[in-house]
Structures are given as structure tokens and as C-alpha cells.
Amino acid sequence: MIMKKLIAILILILACCMEADAQAFLKKLGEKAIEKAKEKIESKVERTVDGEMDEVLDGKKSKDKGSKKSKNASDDIEAAEADPSAASSNDFKRGAVILFQDDITGETVGEFPSKWDMFQGTVETKTLGGIKAINLTDNAQVQPLIKEQGAYLPEEFTIEYDFYYWNQKDDIGLNDMKLILAATKERTDFPGEGYDSGERTAFVLRHGVCNTPEHGYLFNGNHEGSFEYTFKKGWNHVALSFNKRALKVYFNDKRVVNLPRVSQPNWMCIQVPYDYQNLTFFRNIVIAKGAVALYDRDAQSMTAVEKAIVETGKFVTNNILFDTGKATLKPESMAEIAKVADYMKNNPTARFEVQGHTDNQGSDKINDPLSQQRAEAIVTALVSLGVDEFNLRAVGKGSHEPVADNKTEAGRAQNRRVEFIKR
């Protein structure tokens, strides 16, 4: 019994000694680990400081600080600030279905290009720097040969081609080119040299003009615009997108024209207005069905006039009221007229035909001149609110174009209306 107690006491003493040694060992190991960690940290700090000092002494700025992702993001922001259009202007996408394509690589030099038709001038396949291209001279006008010789351009389409741009340093002359989109149904309607104005013209793009940064366009027959873009010498890419009403033009992937409403074109042609010393060349034309997605603002953010114009091309209202049998506007009508005035001032190229309509109560002898006088009164009110009178035309329709049954009071109320038709 005594022996067992002695053995237990010895075991307890040994355990205590081992625990003390273990604790001392662990303590010593921990101290070494901390010391090693300190050495690593101090070494890293020294290297960092030395590197920073070297850059300062060498007069350099530290490069690649932070991640490449952060640097690239910063660069992107700076680029967008330098060119606000850069982030949003390159939205072109070729239509999905090819309607016409011609890279002219298979054509014979000196011959007329086989996939084209000509109205006038001189057109030949030539080489420019070893590359085959179509050369237009003598006021030439051409259009692609497409099976559908009438209205072959769909509601949504894209057109692309390359054209060669010379510059003033060459001192060899000028080059000029027009892309014409025609709002005609038959190709025989093409009237020749004067085809850059009139009701049949949907859009004309003139570029490469006199080797200057200024270029021009015309749309809906009589509205003009201009912009500046400096082409590089050599081959440049032109792209156009039309989507039901919206038209966009891109030079070398940069959007340069953005029009919200253009007449539906049915066919196209390419024209060189003058004989600029045989310098107008183009190639690689592609016409495709499909277009850049149509941009529409959220309906809730659009005014009633804007929404109606976008959807139907006209704004119809029954809220413009007159004294009975007269062309005198009631005061409460001005709120509705002000909506139209605001739209026209925000869209200074918009032109409206103001149509006055009556119900069938009374004779045409009375209603026809009354509706004309009322339309003129509305035009006068719009002008007083700051609208350009040039963009307005008053037309009295009388009771000749009803939209509802004149046999009921509700129908007659609908027929007594004013329509603002966008022209």
C-alpha cells in the first residue's frame, strides 16, 4: 500500500516536471516564431521603403500600384471624361439577314461592276494601292442590283461600305460622295442630279467633302444638318442603321448622326456629285435586314404629345375648345396648346399641319371655313407661345373625316377635334 502511494507521488512529480519543461519549450518556440515574424515584416518594410526611395531618387512615379483592374477602370473613366460620347456612341450592329453584299474581289479591272446598275456618269472597277474598288466619275449614280427592284429596303436595315479618303497634303484634288436613301416606290422615279431635296428624299449623307472635317446631311426632303469628323487618309468605314423611324450614321465606329424621325426609305443609291479628278472610290458594301435597337424613353417620362408623335406621328386632342359657332379659343384650351408648343420648342425641326375637324351639325358651307379659321387661331396661339410660324400650317377639314358615328352625341364629341400631324 505504501509502495503504491510512493509510485503515484513519483508519477505526479514527473508529470509536473514534464509540464514545466513543455511550457518552457512552447514559450521558447513562441518567442522564436514571433522573432522570425518580426524579421520578415522588417525585411518587407525595408524593401518597400528602399523601392520607394529609389523611385524618388530616380525622379520616377511608382507604376503598377494597386491592381491592374483598378488602373484600367481609372483609365476608362478618364477616357469617358475626355470624350463623353465614347461610352455610348459605338452601338452599331449589322442586321442579321444579308440582302446584298459585294466585295468586288471577283470583278475584272476596267469593267463595270456586275452587281450594280447605273443611272448616269462613268463607273469602273479599278485598283487603288493593289485593292479593287468601284470608281465613280462624271457625276455617276449607281444602285445595287437587287431582285426586288421596287421597295426593297425593309422597315429595319443597315448599310455599310468603305470609301477612300484623300487629304489636303496630297494636293491632288478633292473627293466627294453621297449616300441617298429614297422614299420612292419605283427605281424609275430617280430624277437625276437634283436628287438631294424634295418630298421623295428620305435621307442624304454627304461625306469626304472637299477634304475638310465638315460633312452634311439632309433628311425628309428639306431638313439639313452638318457635323465635323476628320477621316484618316485611306480606307474609312461608313455604317448606317434605320429602325422604323430612327436613323444613325457611324464613321469608323463612332456615331456622328442620330435622328429620331426620318421618312421610311424604299431604296438607295450612291452618287458622286462632281468629277473630282476620278478620286471617288468605294468597296465592301453590305445591306442587311435588321438594325440597332430602337431607343424609346420610358413611357412614364414622356409627355402625351411626345408619346403620340413617337407611336403614330400625330397628336390628336378634344381638349381645345371654342365658343359655339366661332373661332374664338376658350381660355381653358391654352393648357393643351402649351403642351404642343413645348414639344415644338424642344424639337425645333418639327413641322406640324394643324387640322381642325367638326361634327356634321350644320352645313359644309359653314363648317369648312369655320374649321379653317379655328386651325388658324390655334396656329396664332402657338406662335404667341414662341413657336416658329414657318413650322406650322393650318388646314380646315370640316366634317369630311369623321372618326366616330355622328348619330350619337359621344361620336360627335370625338369628331370635334384638332389633329397635329407631323410632316
Side-chain angles (χ1 to χ4, degrees):
M1 187 69 177
I2 295 173
M3 183 60 68
K4 288 183 178 179
K5 288 182 178 180
L6 288 172
I7 291 171
I9 291 169
L10 287 172
I11 292 172
L12 181 62
I13 292 170
L14 287 172
C16 290
C17 291
M18 288 177 66
E19 182 179 356
D21 289 340
Q23 288 177 351
F25 174 77
L26 290 173
K27 182 178 179 182
K28 188 174 182 180
L29 182 63
E31 289 173 350
K32 286 186 176 181
I34 292 171
E35 188 67 27
K36 193 68 175 176
K38 286 181 178 179
E39 288 176 2
K40 287 186 177 181
I41 293 171
E42 288 172 357
S43 176
K44 187 173 182 180
V45 169
E46 285 179 5
R47 289 197 304 270
T48 303
V49 171
D50 289 344
E52 294 288 347
M53 288 302 296
D54 288 342
E55 289 177 356
V56 171
L57 293 172
D58 291 341
K60 299 176 182 178
K61 285 188 176 180
S62 176
K63 295 180 180 179
D64 299 325
K65 297 300 177 189
S67 68
K68 283 188 176 181
K69 183 176 180 181
S70 298
K71 182 178 184 301
N72 292 339
S74 177
D75 290 345
D76 291 342
I77 292 171
E78 289 178 2
E81 289 175 348
D83 182 5
S85 65
S88 62
S89 64
N90 187 13
D91 60 344
F92 179 79
K93 184 178 180 181
R94 176 182 292 180
V97 180
I98 303 298
L99 301 177
F100 177 87
Q101 185 169 12
D102 185 19
D103 62 8
I104 77 161
T105 54
E107 299 292 339
T108 301
V109 175
E111 295 294 334
F112 188 91
S114 60
K115 292 186 177 182
W116 294 83
D117 194 7
M118 180 178 70
F119 296 102
Q120 63 186 47
T122 302
V123 182
E124 288 184 3
T125 302
K126 293 186 178 181
T127 58
L128 185 63
I131 298 175
K132 289 183 181 179
I134 298 174
N135 179 220
L136 304 178
T137 62
D138 303 324
N139 195 28
Q141 298 165 347
V142 295
Q143 82 154 6
L145 283 173
I146 297 180
K147 291 181 180 179
E148 295 79 7
Q149 289 296 327
Y152 57 78
L153 290 179
E155 284 189 339
E156 300 177 9
F157 64 86
T158 59
I159 297 174
E160 298 172 78
Y161 56 88
D162 298 327
F163 91 105
Y164 196 89
Y165 183 74
W166 308 84
N167 60 38
Q168 292 174 333
K169 294 180 180 179
D170 295 317
D171 196 27
I172 57 176
L174 308 173
N175 67 316
D176 194 0
M177 186 167 163
K178 284 184 179 180
L179 170 64
I180 300 174
L181 302 182
T184 57
K185 294 183 179 179
E186 300 295 334
R187 60 191 289 268
T188 53
D189 285 344
F190 189 85
E193 167 60 20
Y195 201 78
D196 54 8
S197 63
E199 294 300 322
R200 291 178 294 185
T201 302
F203 181 78
V204 178
L205 173 69
R206 185 172 184 176
H207 52 293
V209 183
C210 301
N211 298 318
T212 69
E214 185 174 347
H215 312 278
Y217 60 90
L218 179 145
F219 64 102
N220 295 342
N222 52 16
H223 300 296
E224 296 181 0
S226 63
F227 59 97
E228 289 193 356
Y229 179 89
T230 302
F231 286 111
K232 63 182 181 181
K233 180 186 175 181
W235 290 103
N236 291 264
H237 190 66
V238 176
L240 179 145
S241 170
F242 181 85
N243 192 331
K244 296 183 177 66
R245 57 176 178 80
L247 185 144
K248 300 180 179 182
V249 177
Y250 306 77
F251 287 167
N252 295 323
D253 296 327
K254 179 179 176 62
R255 191 175 66 212
V256 293
V257 177
N258 187 10
L259 298 174
R261 180 166 294 278
V262 174
S263 301
Q264 170 68 49
N266 291 299
W267 61 276
M268 61 149 287
C269 80
I270 290 176
Q271 171 188 354
V272 52
Y274 304 101
D275 178 18
Y276 281 131
Q277 297 187 23
N278 305 335
L279 295 178
T280 300
F281 292 83
F282 77 97
R283 64 192 300 271
N284 292 339
I285 187 161
V286 178
I287 304 174
K289 183 178 181 180
V292 174
L294 184 65
Y295 168 75
D296 277 320
R297 286 169 47 197
D298 177 66
Q300 292 182 349
S301 68
M302 298 175 71
T303 67
V305 178
E306 286 176 318
K307 191 171 186 298
I309 295 301
V310 166
E311 293 177 353
T312 66
K314 63 181 179 180
F315 174 60
V316 181
T317 177
N318 301 98
N319 296 327
I320 298 179
L321 307 175
F322 297 86
D323 291 344
T324 303
K326 298 180 180 179
T328 305
L329 282 163
K330 290 189 174 182
E332 56 266 35
S333 301
M334 292 306 297
E336 195 79 346
I337 294 174
K339 295 177 184 178
V340 178
D342 288 342
Y343 174 87
M344 296 191 73
K345 286 186 286 187
N346 291 329
N347 299 271
T349 61
R351 302 181 69 188
F352 277 135
E353 181 172 278
V354 182
Q355 295 184 355
H357 296 263
T358 69
D359 58 28
N360 68 346
Q361 301 297 294
S363 66
D364 291 342
K365 187 176 180 180
I366 295 174
N367 287 334
D368 288 354
L370 180 61
S371 64
Q372 177 67 33
Q373 292 164 12
R374 288 179 170 178
E376 291 172 356
I378 296 169
V379 167
T380 300
L382 286 168
V383 172
S384 72
L385 294 175
V387 176
D388 187 347
E389 188 174 5
F390 175 79
N391 293 328
L392 297 165
R393 177 188 175 195
V395 177
K397 293 289 187 176
S399 62
H400 303 290
E401 297 180 8
V403 293
D405 189 352
N406 272 309
K407 294 180 180 179
T408 67
E409 178 54 39
R412 289 193 293 272
Q414 284 184 263
N415 290 332
R416 295 191 297 269
R417 69 193 187 279
V418 177
E419 294 191 6
F420 297 86
I421 312 293
K422 196 166 186 291
R423 295 190 291 163

